[in-house]
Every structure is written in C-alpha cells, then in structure tokens.
C-alpha cells in the first residue's frame, strides 16, 4: 500500500469539510438561541395553573419529542410548502426545525430546573414583599439557570450532531460536503474519518469547557 497516496484524500476533502463546519456551527447556535427562547416559554407554560396554557405547551412538547427530528425537517421544508404554500430555503428551514426540536427538550429542562427549587424559596421571596414575578426573576431563576447548565450543554452537543440530518435538504453542512466529495471520488473511508474528526473537534473541547463551568459554579 502506498501510504502517501492513502493520505491524499484527507487533504482534498478537508477544505470542503471546513466550509461545512462553519455552517454547522451557525445552524446550531442560531437554532438553539431561538430554541431556548421557545423552550423557556414552553417550560414555564408547563408550570402554569392555567389549563389552556398548560395544555398547549404540553401538546407541543409531546408532539415534538414523540416524532423523529428527520420527520420534522421534512415537514418544515416540504410539508409546509405542500399544505400552506410556505417555502423556506434550506438554511432557514434548518433554523426553524432545530429551534422547534430543541425547544421541546429545553422546555423540559427549564420545567425540571424550576420545579427542583424548593417551594420555600418562593415563599421566602413573597414574605419579603416580592410579587410572584419578582420572586421568579430574582430568587428562582438565578438558581434554576445554574441547574440548567449541564443539561443545556448536553442539548447543545445533541443538536450539533442532529444538524447532520440537514444534509437531506441539501444544506451545505459537514456531512453534505463530505457526501459531495464522495459522489465524485467514491472515497468513503478517509471522508468519513475526516467528518468524524470535524465533529470531535467541536464536541470534545465543548465537553471540557462545560465541565469547567460546572466545577466553577459547583453544579451538583
């Protein structure tokens, strides 16, 4: 075997993977940003005593968590166009699908974090004259956010890996760029190794950073 030739495909596919790398990061960050907003609203709605608000949030969470993200991608990209004549580009569809998908899981993270705070904390806040909203803002939320950090970090990693599924709608992320190279060279082995390394370059440092944050905040 000519080992020199064996390494050639790595150098050829790496620039393509790098282009997809930045799109993957963009989709993950933007999707999770809106996913967190949606998840925070849905999570608090899941704590509401209003049955209508609670029911709407619960339906959203259960439907999204109960269906594959691949189906959700197809629905946003193809289904909305067929049903409502609403069309999105691949990048916009990726933002929407990832936001709605991650939002459902973040909603449960938010709900669980807030629910885990002892009831006495709210009562203590109310006893010093705070309204319910003020007590949530100044007493409950700071503690809840601290407890959200580990699962939110895990959700970021999960969503980042899920972004590979956007290759099915021809979004130029890491996997799609690799598939383009394979289509012209039929070089599977080195291409998939390069793709795996690209994901590891993101996820391993992120995992280490999250551990450091957890230690500094003493998240148990």
């Amino acid at each position: 075997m000519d080992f020199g030739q064996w390494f050639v495909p790595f150098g050829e596919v790496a620039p393509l993977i790098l282009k997809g790398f930045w799109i993957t990061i963009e989709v993950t960050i933007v999707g999770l940003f809106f996913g967190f907003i949606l998840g925070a609203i849905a999570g608090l709605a899941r704590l509401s005593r209003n049955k209508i608000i609670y029911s709407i949030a619960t339906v959203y969470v259960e439907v999204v968590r109960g269906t594959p993200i691949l189906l959700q991608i197809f629905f946003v990209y193809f289904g909305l166009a067929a049903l409502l004549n609403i069309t999105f580009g691949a990048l916009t569809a990726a933002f929407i699908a990832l936001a709605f998908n991650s939002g459902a899981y973040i909603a449960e993270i938010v709900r669980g974090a807030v629910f885990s705070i002892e009831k006495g904390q709210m009562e203590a806040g109310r006893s010093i004259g705070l309204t319910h909203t003020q007590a949530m803002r100044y007493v409950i939320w700071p503690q809840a956010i601290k407890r959200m950090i580990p699962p939110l970090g895990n959700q970021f990693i999960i969503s980042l890996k899920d972004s590979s599924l956007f290759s099915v709608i021809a979004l130029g992320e890491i996997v799609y760029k690799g598939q383009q190279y394979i289509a012209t060279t039929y070089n599977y082995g080195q291409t998939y190794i390069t793709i795996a390394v690209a994901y590891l370059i993101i996820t391993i440092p992120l995992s280490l950073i999250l551990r450091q944050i957890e230690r500094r905040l003493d998240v148990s």
Side-chain angles (χ1 to χ4, degrees), residues 26-206:
E26 180 185 2
V27 168
T28 304
I29 291 176
V30 174
L32 281 179
F33 173 78
F34 289 105
F36 181 79
I37 295 173
L38 184 58
I41 294 171
L44 292 177
R46 292 263 285 160
L47 294 168
S48 175
R49 294 181 180 179
N50 185 302
K51 292 184 178 179
I52 296 177
I53 294 175
Y54 172 83
S55 298
I56 292 173
T58 299
V59 169
Y60 159 64
V61 170
E62 296 302 327
V63 168
V64 172
R65 294 178 70 199
T67 55
I69 184 174
L70 185 60
L71 177 63
Q72 295 161 23
I73 294 168
F74 284 144
F75 180 78
V76 172
Y77 193 66
F78 298 111
L80 290 178
L83 292 174
L84 304 175
N85 199 29
I86 299 175
T87 58
F88 298 106
L91 186 60
T92 303
F95 291 152
I96 294 171
L98 193 61
F100 271 89
N101 180 267
S102 62
Y105 292 91
I106 292 172
E108 289 301 278
I109 292 172
V110 171
R111 184 188 68 82
V114 173
F115 191 74
S116 70
I117 305 300
E118 295 77 6
K119 292 182 179 179
Q121 297 289 317
M122 174 61 77
E123 294 170 359
R126 297 301 298 274
S127 69
I128 62 174
L130 297 178
T131 64
H132 184 275
T133 301
Q134 290 174 328
M136 282 293 296
R137 179 179 177 182
Y138 297 111
V139 179
I140 304 301
W141 264 107
Q143 299 178 71
I145 288 175
K146 185 177 177 181
R147 299 186 183 186
M148 291 178 204
I149 290 175
L152 283 177
N154 290 333
Q155 183 60 47
F156 184 93
I157 293 173
I158 290 169
S159 294
L160 186 144
K161 291 186 291 184
D162 283 345
S163 69
S164 64
L165 295 172
F166 294 119
S167 61
V168 300
I169 57 173
L171 179 68
E173 46 71 59
I174 293 174
V175 172
Y176 184 75
K177 291 296 185 181
Q179 289 175 333
Q180 284 184 312
Y181 179 75
I182 290 172
T184 58
T185 65
Y186 299 99
N187 189 302
Y188 294 89
Q190 290 93 327
T191 302
Y192 287 133
I193 290 173
T194 307
I195 291 172
V197 169
Y199 280 107
L200 292 173
I201 287 173
I202 307 171
T203 57
I204 291 178
L206 181 59

